Amino acid sequence: MYQVLDVRLLKIPGTVEELAPLAREYGFDGLDVPEAILGDEKKAESAQAAMKENGLKWGLLPTPVDFFDETIDEKKFEEALEIQKRWAQLGEKIGVKYAYNHIWPSSSREFDENFEWHVKRLEKLQEVFVNHGIQYGFEFLGPKELRVRHPHPFVHTISGVLSIADAAGGKTGFLFDTYHWYCGSGRLDDLYFAAQNCHRMVNFHLNDGVAGKSRDEQEDQVRAMPMTTGIIDAARIYQLFEKNGYKGPVMCEPMVPSTDRFAVQDVEKSMAEVKDAFNRCSGIISTGRR
């Protein structure tokens, strides 16, 4: 797998041209794709040149909307789909290989109706990515607050999101997030099911739970840096996926309060902190810059 610095989520400021040399120095293998370059071919080409010069790979291609949010009606969906086509075309040109959306674990619709609604949207959306050589995946969401937000429960495990993918033809994979796995089930059979299906994994998120809270009390947008609170053994999962041959991107996704800190502190300090987190998971002793 290759370690990607997710500058969008971590709120680390700077352009690709500015961040790529630093990312290389701190030992990262890639950067996430900034949405800002996708509307301008010249910006995208300049960013790709900086990535190539520094030996970096791209992480995930953004999507213009949350395609599986119930508030996105059919008109908005079709409009966003046209934007996604342009972004995927440009993403293919600069070498982006992966994209994803999350699936909400509860709905205003009953399960059967909601399942079919997801399949119909996926059939249209995945065609865009397949046509441009981009592997697309679903992220399942685990926290209880999301599972009970709407009256009808929906999928919140790997097998759940892959059931939608398979109903739409099996061309979509999954994203594994250690926090969502822990909150959604924390079951080892789910973990090993993911490990045996690494060929369908498009990304891997590392994080930890919040100390002093039970599994059901964990909040979606509040998480810790991986291997800091001892709630989630992200190192075990990292090494399991590596052993089973996962070759795609891996990212740290701690959310608040870490992201608030990254937004205001020195960029290199943030990079060092994220790289240390990767090292804790991979079992490498940190040596600072390369």
Side-chain angles (χ1 to χ4, degrees), residues 7 119 131 147 163 195 233 246 259 281:
V7 294
V119 170
N131 287 344
R147 289 186 273 122
S163 68
D233 190 351
Y246 175 58
T259 50
C281 293

Side-chain angles (χ1 to χ4, degrees), residues 177-190:
D177 183 296
T178 60
Y179 187 79
H180 289 306
W181 166 75
Y182 168 76
C183 293
S185 75
R187 288 170 40 169
L188 291 180
D189 56 344
D190 285 342

